[in-house]
Amino acid sequence: QNNYPQDYFSNPLDIPLVLSGTFAELRSNHFHSGLDIKTQQRVGLKVKAIANGYVSRIKVSHFGYGKALYITHPNGYTSVYAHLQKFSSEIEAFIKKHQYEKESYEIELFPSAESLSIIKDSIIAYSGNSGGSGGPHLHFEIRETESEHPINPLLVGFNIKDNIKPTIKSIVVTPLNDTSYVNNSQKPQRFLAVGINGTYKLKYGTTISAYGEIGIGIETIDKLNGVSNRNGIYSIELSQNSEIIYKSEMKKFSFDQDRALNSLIDYEMFLAKKIRYQKSYIDPNNHLPIYTQHKNNGMINIGMSDKNNFTYNVKDSYGNLSSLSFPINGGYNKSLVKPVKKQIYDTTFSYLDSNYYETQNVTVSIPKDALYKDLPFHFSVADTLTGAITPTYFIHNEYTPLHKAIEVSIKVGRLSEYERSKATIVHFDRRKRYYAKGGTWRNNSITAKSKKFGGFAVMLDTVPPKITPTNMFANKDMSGNSTITVKIADNLSGVKSFRGTIDGKWVMMEYEAKKAKIFHTFENLPKGKHNFELTLTDGVGNESYVSIPFTR
């Protein structure tokens, strides 16, 4: 039942609403919390308030939402507008005042209800591509004001053209313990689906037999009229012999449960093969509010001679329906089962508790509610990689998702104070790419947090970040330039902060991480000779500095 307001909110843009992203779409480590509205591949479109209210929050950041505006409405909802190019003149002046007072481009403000009142359909900003945006668009959300939970904006009556039924691409049937089999295998088995006009079946000639406890998952996407984007699904329902055993609906979610997306999907299959399939069975410590109905958490027991018919019903937000029916018959042939190499585990961690693991050189602390289910845990040590000062310690493997960050401490041999100040824990993924995690020292151990299992080692970062001016040089006449633009780079610990001044006074510099550049837009600079200075600091305190005289 839809209890959300209808015909209360107006469109945030003057153009027809065409979406490149829908609510609760599966993204990396999170659900998409709103709609991505296409802006005709350009920036600068007028963004309008969808109802009366007041600006309750403004956040400007280099990453994430970039320039974002939050408007609280009297009906109990808050609208969010993100990746903006700039704000309306009144809001822009309000923000700039605080940015210069704090000498910080990044800022978060919570204006009072009286400070910036807003009238429905008034221009509040201009669309852009700021923050972590991958191209010009408006990211738009509606949240419950009190809980801050995002809701599906398509449930409040926005006019989006969609009469296309969801696409069902495949299903995966997974043995859930070491006495379960699917097609005489103890590994997940994927089966492709084919269909037209919403009616699907498994590819011709597919048969599925199973024995023991199994789980089923589905790979499915939605499409909207006139666009090629692969969008998220609203509801998934799985029936066994006409009885619903699993149902999920994407009405709303809470940000504190966001990472449980990695428990909804088969995380290992996603990392290994980039296939996101949604499990129709629920891990015991997955508390997503999307599960509206289930029997035995969607887990299915199949006996030797059982006959079962399963049906998936998949809907988008406008009720377009696609269905897939398939039989699974009980049975397996022991002589055809290929033995699976038994994994070696050091211990089993309970998802109900906090867990601790210690060796001579490494300790691992896993907080309560970090695991979605019990974990047979394995620890191993690998060679010291180039640039590292410790071996690589493999703390389980990255195919197991975490809901909360673990804490990793690594003991290091004798280091000078200088070396300790330049040390950082790095996390290695399965492709041997590494990411600096920083760290704090206690005695001879350095400790950092990580939201992933995997390989960990300690490296030293003694190389300062790199500054490359791209549109200026000493004594250049900058009259024909509207900005000072600088490319920046760092080899390991990442750029942590920067400070730009002209003639000794702080100036606002924006960071465009996608292009690894920072820039200052000239404002009211008097004619004559000037000096630009920039200091760049990385994650362990290495600094770089440039000073460039120029005229304008």
Side-chain angles (χ1 to χ4, degrees):
Q1 192 182 355
N2 184 356
N3 297 319
Y4 297 117
Q6 305 296 306
D7 305 319
Y8 183 91
F9 298 119
S10 60
N11 284 358
L13 296 170
D14 280 335
I15 57 172
L17 298 187
V18 177
L19 305 183
S20 59
T22 51
F23 180 78
E25 211 164 79
L26 308 180
R27 300 285 177 91
S28 182
N29 299 315
H30 70 285
F31 293 99
H32 190 232
S33 52
L35 305 179
D36 283 345
I37 304 172
K38 291 190 175 229
T39 55
Q40 301 171 338
Q41 299 178 320
R42 56 198 176 108
V43 300
L45 272 61
K46 294 171 182 174
V47 178
K48 297 184 167 187
I50 61 169
N52 291 346
Y54 68 94
V55 175
S56 52
R57 183 183 178 195
I58 304 162
K59 190 170 184 185
V60 178
S61 53
H62 299 307
F63 303 99
Y65 283 8
K67 296 180 180 181
L69 197 61
Y70 299 70
I71 297 177
T72 295
H73 307 288
N75 67 339
Y77 293 93
T78 295
S79 54
V80 183
Y81 315 78
H83 304 312
L84 301 169
Q85 179 195 41
K86 60 181 180 179
F87 303 96
S88 68
S89 53
E90 183 190 6
I91 298 170
E92 193 79 33
F94 181 88
I95 297 165
K96 224 162 234 184
K97 177 174 173 284
H98 287 85
Q99 285 173 317
Y100 273 88
E101 280 173 4
K102 279 189 73 179
E103 293 195 353
S104 173
Y105 170 77
E106 292 196 297
I107 200 159
E108 187 170 18
L109 303 169
F110 297 90
S112 68
E114 296 75 38
S115 293
L116 294 166
S117 60
I118 298 293
I119 296 167
K120 184 176 184 175
D121 292 330
S122 61
I123 297 166
I124 51 172
Y126 297 86
S127 69
N129 187 29
S130 59
S133 168
H137 72 281
L138 174 67
H139 174 85
F140 169 73
E141 295 177 23
I142 297 178
R143 299 183 185 180
E144 294 172 341
T145 301
E146 194 172 336
S147 68
E148 293 191 27
H149 293 168
I151 69 161
N152 190 338
L154 294 182
L155 300 178
V156 303
F158 287 109
N159 182 24
I160 311 284
K161 200 168 182 187
D162 181 10
N163 59 10
I164 299 172
K165 296 179 178 182
T167 302
I168 298 174
K169 304 181 88 173
S170 68
I171 61 166
V172 176
V173 186
T174 301
L176 295 181
N177 55 42
D178 56 11
T179 57
S180 303
Y181 305 89
V182 178
N183 283 6
N184 300 311
S185 172
Q186 291 194 296
K187 293 183 176 179
Q189 302 295 306
R190 184 172 179 233
F191 305 98
L192 298 177
V194 292
I196 52 168
N197 197 30
T199 303
Y200 285 82
K201 57 188 179 183
L202 296 183
K203 214 169 175 183
Y204 180 74
T206 301
T207 59
I208 309 175
S209 63
Y211 174 78
E213 190 171 53
I214 64 165
I216 307 177
I218 187 167
E219 181 190 10
T220 177
I221 58 161
D222 188 39
K223 292 204 169 184
L224 306 171
N225 293 50
V227 283
S228 60
N229 302 78
R230 297 148 51 101
N231 296 123
I233 293 295
Y234 174 68
S235 79
I236 296 174
E237 180 184 283
L238 176 63
S239 298
Q240 178 184 12
N241 301 327
S242 301
E243 180 188 11
I244 295 172
I245 59 169
Y246 171 91
K247 187 173 183 182
S248 62
E249 286 185 313
M250 299 299 192
K251 282 187 176 177
K252 68 175 180 177
F253 65 85
S254 56
F255 287 112
D256 63 343
Q257 291 298 324
D258 218 11
R259 282 188 75 84
L261 167 117
N262 292 332
S263 165
L264 168 68
I265 63 173
D266 184 304
Y267 189 61
E268 181 170 350
M269 186 172 284
F270 169 64
L271 290 185
K273 298 183 178 175
K274 285 289 174 258
I275 298 169
R276 274 197 185 103
Y277 90 81
Q278 299 185 49
K279 299 181 330 199
S280 301
Y281 52 99
I282 307 165
D283 290 334
N285 210 23
N286 175 345
H287 301 296
L288 283 170
I290 66 172
Y291 303 118
T292 58
Q293 203 172 336
H294 62 85
K295 179 184 178 185
N296 192 32
N297 275 6
M299 296 168 190
I300 303 152
N301 275 294
I302 307 266
M304 272 306 277
S305 55
D306 286 359
K307 303 279 185 198
N308 292 282
N309 195 61
F310 292 90
T311 299
Y312 266 116
N313 286 321
V314 179
K315 288 182 183 174
D316 63 22
S317 295
Y318 289 98
N320 298 304
L321 169 69
S322 291
S323 297
L324 165 68
S325 291
F326 53 96
I328 298 181
N329 294 324
Y332 77 102
N333 185 334
K334 201 166 189 178
S335 64
L336 296 176
V337 173
K338 288 182 184 172
V340 175
K341 187 184 174 188
K342 292 288 181 195
Q343 294 290 328
I344 300 167
Y345 297 113
D346 297 281
T347 186
T348 298
F349 289 148
S350 167
Y351 73 85
L352 292 167
D353 302 314
S354 57
N355 295 277
Y356 191 75
Y357 187 83
E358 187 170 15
T359 71
Q360 187 178 351
N361 293 313
V362 177
T363 58
V364 184
S365 180
I366 303 173
K368 191 176 186 298
D369 290 328
L371 301 173
Y372 296 107
K373 58 184 180 180
D374 288 352
L375 175 66
F377 178 82
H378 180 57
F379 175 85
S380 63
V381 183
D383 294 342
T384 302
L385 293 170
T386 306
I389 58 169
T390 65
T392 302
Y393 300 104
F394 278 92
I395 297 167
H396 198 63
N397 64 66
E398 65 182 299
Y399 293 124
T400 296
L402 283 163
H403 196 70
K404 292 181 178 176
I406 60 171
E407 200 168 75
V408 178
S409 294
I410 299 177
K411 192 179 277 188
V412 184
R414 279 178 117 59
L415 293 179
S416 67
E417 277 303 311
Y418 171 76
E419 288 171 323
R420 281 168 77 112
S421 74
K422 301 304 177 189
T424 177
I425 288 183
V426 292
H427 173 266
F428 292 87
D429 69 11
R430 65 199 179 286
R431 296 191 183 115
K432 295 201 173 142
R433 295 174 303 192
Y434 52 82
Y435 306 89
K437 296 290 178 184
T440 54
W441 284 92
R442 186 174 180 186
N443 300 326
N444 288 327
S445 289
I446 182 171
T447 302
K449 292 194 170 186
S450 173
K451 288 187 175 176
K452 289 182 179 178
F453 288 120
F456 294 86
V458 179
M459 295 178 119
L460 299 184
D461 181 0
T462 58
V463 180
K466 195 174 178 186
I467 299 173
T468 310
T470 58
N471 73 339
M472 74 184 308
F473 48 82
N475 302 311
K476 179 184 174 182
D477 182 355
M478 296 288 286
S479 301
N481 297 87
S482 58
T483 63
I484 294 171
T485 306
V486 177
K487 281 269 189 189
I488 59 174
D490 188 70
N491 70 317
L492 179 58
S493 58
V495 173
K496 186 180 180 185
S497 64
F498 50 85
R499 178 182 170 83
T501 63
I502 292 179
D503 305 332
K505 289 185 178 175
W506 179 85
V507 291
M508 188 128 60
M509 301 208 70
E510 297 188 37
Y511 180 25
E512 200 171 335
K514 298 182 282 287
K515 296 181 179 175
K517 73 173 186 179
I518 53 178
F519 62 94
H520 166 69
T521 304
F522 289 118
E523 293 178 278
N524 308 320
L525 189 67
K527 288 181 179 179
K529 292 184 177 181
H530 302 281
N531 196 62
F532 169 68
E533 293 176 291
L534 176 66
T535 304
L536 197 61
T537 309
D538 71 10
V540 295
N542 296 309
E543 274 191 3
S544 292
Y545 169 81
V546 293
S547 176
I548 306 173
F550 68 96
T551 58
R552 187 167 159 84

